[in-house]
Amino acid sequence: MRFAGPSRVIEFTRTALFWHLLLPALLAALFFAGTARAELRIDITQGKVDPLPVAIADFGGNNGESAQIGRDIAAVIAANLERSGLFAPISKSAFIQQNVSLSALPRFGDWRIINAQALVHGAVSFESSGAIKVEFRLWDVFAEQQMVANAYTTVPANWRRVAHIISDAIYQRMTGESGYFDTRIVYIAESGPPDRRNKRLAIMDQDGANHRFLTDGSDLVLTPRFSPTLQEITYLAYYNDQPRVYIFNIETGQQEVLGDFPGMTFAPRFSPDGNRVIMSLARDGITDIYTMDLATRRVRRLTNSPSIDTSPTYSPDGAQITFNSDRGGSQQIYVMDANGENVRRISFGKGRYATPVWSPRGDLIAFTKITGGQFYIGVMRPDGTGERLLSQGYLVEAPTWAPNGRVLIYFKQFPSDSSGRGGKTKLYSIDLTGYNEREIVTPVDASDPAWSPLIP
């Protein structure tokens, strides 16, 4: 297998995270003590939430280059927050106060006139070392209180990561839950006619930026999944028409063959501690679930039934495994202990269920459901109760969770001809509530996404 070139993880140091603007905040708190009100907060435990109007001013700069970086950072923050569906960035053309300085309090009255509930502003400056220092503040406009004030120092090339980290800080402060913007997505990039589909491994930031192809398409690749540390991807590839399980190191660009497995191999995935890979193997016409210890390469069989057991994933604590099986006569979702014991079926609705994936929070399992000639993306509790369907289509499949367990990504295929086959295949995200479905734009058709943990 040939690769498009080595990859390198951008080194970044979260140096600051300090509350260094304490005095202005204290003065503001004292001066406006009489205007206290309920804390500005977005309750994401409810159903549909009206987006919060937020003003995101361009970050100032001490020269032309830093000012441009400041405008770019503000634009990425606005796009991240708007895409979450929880925030409604206000057009900069409506702003009354321009050039919001960090050395003085904002003119809150000006922001209240345009109905901004929250205000984000900041500054970018170059240091003598050539690094940039990015400072930002989040304000509750009506309470006139500072909610977050952080600063970060890094190389200029990391400005986009800083924007994602600031977006995560704002999301966490406003919702009480961790964000998901400083993450990556790996997926299968598809091109060519349906009968000669070229499938390459590709990676990008969660917003589609910094896109790269990791393989050149000379071999068919399937089902990429991140390691818990984000440094590696496991995936399936066909070399000389034989299935192999690989591990791709994102930092070095090197790939390693975990093993050649006779028969068919499906859906390799790391355990939560990164010490094992779980997959399904077809031997003598029977497909069961196996784990491989990455230190010893010892393979252990977990299921043993005359059926098709596949798509295994661990619970976040590694104590349980969910998978789909037709052992009961139709394709359904099952849960078992990590040693293969105590197998129990959890899906009992109409139709077939596939591709179960345990939420990083441990509270839900996402799945693909096929019934009545339609595909659905849904979620249920690990005991099978509380089933909810979030998205529907001609073909929707392969859900993957954001690290905060609040957003899902999956792919949709659309019919395009009289036979209903061969249409475009795109990635989409949707909020756990079932609202805010959005396309994630990719250079070519895309399928089988996997969402990374937060970047360390």
Side-chain angles (χ1 to χ4, degrees), residues 333 346-349 353 363-367 369 377-390 401 408 432-434:
I333 298 175
I346 65 168
S347 63
F348 292 94
Y353 294 78
D363 58 342
L364 294 169
I365 292 174
F367 56 82
K369 182 173 182 176
I377 297 295
V379 294
M380 66 174 65
R381 299 187 188 96
D383 64 0
T385 62
E387 177 178 324
R388 290 188 293 120
L389 301 179
L390 307 178
W401 291 94
L408 288 161
L432 186 57
T433 61

Side-chain angles (χ1 to χ4, degrees), residues 369-416:
K369 182 173 182 176
I370 308 99
T371 183
Q374 289 288 308
F375 280 70
Y376 300 84
I377 297 295
V379 294
M380 66 174 65
R381 299 187 188 96
D383 64 0
T385 62
E387 177 178 324
R388 290 188 293 120
L389 301 179
L390 307 178
S391 181
Q392 174 188 1
Y394 164 72
L395 173 61
V396 290
E397 196 171 3
T400 178
W401 291 94
N404 70 351
R406 283 289 178 188
V407 183
L408 288 161
I409 291 179
Y410 46 91
F411 76 87
K412 279 189 174 184
Q413 187 181 77
F414 299 89
S416 64

Side-chain angles (χ1 to χ4, degrees), residues 198 207 321 345 434:
N198 182 289
D207 60 355
I321 295 166
R345 176 177 167 179

Side-chain angles (χ1 to χ4, degrees), residues 105-127:
L105 290 173
R107 299 202 304 263
F108 294 109
D110 288 354
W111 299 105
R112 283 194 288 268
I113 289 174
I114 64 172
N115 195 35
Q117 303 290 305
L119 168 65
V120 178
H121 68 118
V124 180
S125 59
F126 274 90
E127 302 196 323

